[in-house]
Amino acid sequence: MDMDDPQQVGIAFAETVLGVTVSSEPPDPSSPLGRIREFTAEYGEDALRPEHIAAAQEGRPLLP
């Protein structure tokens, strides 16, 4: 990490505070985000509703 780059320092700080890691890799397909991405690839972004997000977080199937 370049300590002179405010964006990199800010991202590192946010990762520490939130306990997450920012990645440019695609998410694990079994993760909630991976399941949402798969759903939108198949049905389109317009089909995505708040109940789909809740279902993905809870591990339930994402129905169109």
Side-chain angles (χ1 to χ4, degrees):
M1 174 177 62
D2 181 1
M3 294 300 289
D4 293 325
D5 183 349
Q7 187 172 18
Q8 287 186 14
V9 171
I11 290 172
F13 176 75
E15 289 176 338
T16 301
V17 170
L18 298 173
V20 298
T21 301
V22 177
S23 174
S24 59
E25 300 292 320
D28 179 356
S30 65
S31 71
L33 180 57
R35 295 178 59 223
I36 291 293
R37 289 184 59 162
E38 182 179 319
F39 178 87
T40 57
E42 185 172 342
Y43 299 105
E45 292 179 9
D46 292 337
L48 187 63
R49 308 219 184 297
E51 50 268 18
H52 293 115
I53 304 297
Q57 291 172 330
E58 295 167 4
R60 294 184 286 123
L62 304 179
L63 304 174

